[in-house]
Amino acid sequence: MSALEIANSLPMWIACGLAVAVVIIQALLFAIKAYGAGKKVGLTEKQMKKAMKSSAITSIGPSIVILSGMLSLLITVGAPVAWMRLSMIGSVMFESLAAGIGTNVVGVQLGVDELTHQALAMAVWTMVLCSIGWVIFATFSANRMDKIQNKLGGGDAQKLISISVAAVIGVFAAMCAQHLVKILQFNPETKAFAGVGFSKHAFACVLGGVIMGIMMQVSKKIPALKEWNLTISILAAMIIAAVI
């Protein structure tokens, strides 16, 4: 059997399906627990249904991005592994990068060279081992995070919110920066940055931010659109960048 035949075989579907089943069960348990906690703190049925609806709608945009990454992994490491990895982790950039690093070790360029048995094994092992660190950290530190939150916030709820918002902005800024810097190149002779041409990644990044700003203003007048802002921004930027 070829490497891709093994990657798409029934045993692989069963093995990966078990992992996905665990994720689905966890999601259901969290939803049930959250619903029960909502009632205990006095939230109404209407409030909880609205929160669930908003969460579901907001997840559409990122899910489509993950689906596009799954399609690229599907033809390189097989459908079962792509399905399992992006169901558990969900980071398109990480999975593609990790798989590429694994295959490069054995001299196979992912998506270019023919996938070998050894390259498939290395890709899967790299994806799994490189992500196990944060899984273990979250498992053993989750029950202590409230103490860390209280220490950082100093008992001030607003300060803690500001720290959380700043952290999220920092993460997204770091993700965007790696695309934006590709349009500039430092010239050591002139000690200045010079443009190196058009970058679709940078264009999509900037365009997504512009569209999001526009959508935020529009949603002030049409509140029903607020839940769709992220999805519309991501899809519009992706489609326009791809067409151009």
Side-chain angles (χ1 to χ4, degrees), residues 51-223:
M52 287 188 284
K53 178 184 175 183
S54 299
S55 300
I57 292 174
T58 305
S59 69
I60 294 175
S63 297
I64 292 175
V65 176
I66 290 174
L67 177 61
S68 66
M70 184 182 294
L71 292 174
S72 64
L73 281 178
L74 186 147
I75 61 176
T76 54
V77 295
V81 174
W83 173 51
M84 181 265 291
R85 292 302 301 168
L86 292 177
S87 294
M88 296 181 68
I89 306 299
S91 174
V92 178
M93 292 187 298
F94 168 78
E95 298 302 331
S96 301
L97 179 63
I101 292 173
T103 58
N104 284 338
V105 172
V106 292
V108 175
Q109 188 175 354
L110 193 66
V112 178
D113 301 327
E114 182 180 352
L115 190 68
T116 64
H117 297 80
Q118 191 177 20
L120 173 63
M122 290 299 293
V124 175
W125 274 111
T126 304
M127 286 189 286
V128 172
L129 293 177
C130 286
S131 63
I132 200 170
W134 63 67
V135 175
I136 294 174
F137 176 79
T139 301
F140 291 101
S141 66
N143 62 336
R144 299 178 177 84
M145 290 307 294
D146 55 338
K147 296 179 181 178
I148 297 174
Q149 287 181 341
N150 292 332
K151 188 173 182 179
L152 289 173
D156 187 345
Q158 292 299 320
K159 183 179 179 181
L160 187 59
I161 291 174
S162 298
I163 293 173
S164 300
V165 171
V168 172
I169 292 174
V171 170
F172 279 97
M175 293 175 64
C176 293
Q178 60 184 316
H179 296 297
L180 295 176
V181 295
K182 291 179 181 179
I183 62 175
L184 294 175
Q185 186 175 26
F186 183 73
N187 188 329
E189 295 180 359
T190 60
K191 296 183 179 181
F193 287 94
V196 294
F198 179 77
S199 168
K200 281 195 173 185
H201 289 171
F203 177 72
C205 181
V206 174
L207 184 61
V210 172
I211 295 174
M212 188 63 176
I214 294 172
M215 290 303 303
M216 289 177 66
Q217 296 302 316
V218 173
S219 61
K220 289 181 180 179
K221 298 181 180 179
I222 310 176

